[in-house]
């Protein structure tokens, strides 16, 4: 929990700057995850994964635009990055 608290304290101190950079990061990672998912086909499984990627990226962007509390925004960022990263790796390994 020490790393989480340290990252959150830094995020909270420079909220607007980090939130802006995180929007770019989640959009790029989400786009890459969507590309890799669609490279594996267009089956219902891939469509559910694509929906999940789009939903978590939009959720994070919504928390910023709705000016929610920094802790909620930070937790949404972690969820978005985690989901996109996991789906990117899983689908990237299937391409090999």
């Amino acid at each position: 929990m020490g790393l989480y608290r340290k990252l959150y304290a830094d995020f909270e101190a420079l909220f607007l700057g980090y939130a802006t950079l995180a929007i770019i990061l989640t959009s790029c990672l989400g786009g890459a995850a969507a590309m890799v998912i669609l490279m594996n086909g267009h089956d219902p499984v891939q469509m559910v994964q694509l929906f999940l990627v789009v939903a978590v990226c939009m959720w994070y962007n919504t928390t910023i635009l709705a000016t929610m509390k920094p802790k909620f925004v930070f937790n949404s960022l972690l969820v978005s990055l985690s989901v996109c990263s996991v789906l990117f790796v899983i689908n990237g390994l299937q391409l090999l």
Side-chain angles (χ1 to χ4, degrees):
M1 274 313 229
L3 178 63
Y4 174 82
R5 287 185 187 144
K6 183 177 179 182
L7 289 174
Y8 173 68
D10 195 32
F11 183 83
E12 188 177 30
L14 300 168
F15 178 68
L16 288 178
Y18 280 131
T20 305
L21 288 174
I23 287 173
I24 296 168
L25 177 65
T26 59
S27 298
C28 290
L29 184 60
M35 178 190 69
V36 173
I37 289 168
L38 290 174
M39 287 173 69
N40 281 327
H42 299 89
D43 295 335
V45 173
Q46 279 82 23
M47 293 299 110
V48 169
Q49 291 177 358
L50 184 63
F51 171 77
L52 191 59
V53 166
V54 171
V56 296
C57 289
M58 286 181 60
W59 176 259
Y60 175 71
N61 290 344
T62 302
T63 61
I64 295 295
L65 291 174
T67 60
M68 296 192 174
K69 293 182 180 182
K71 186 159 187 109
F72 188 78
V73 173
F74 183 69
N75 290 334
S76 297
L77 172 63
L78 293 179
V79 169
S80 177
L81 292 177
S82 299
V83 169
C84 290
S85 297
V86 166
L87 290 175
F88 180 79
V89 168
I90 288 171
N91 285 285
L93 290 175
Q94 288 179 358
L95 289 174
L96 297 178

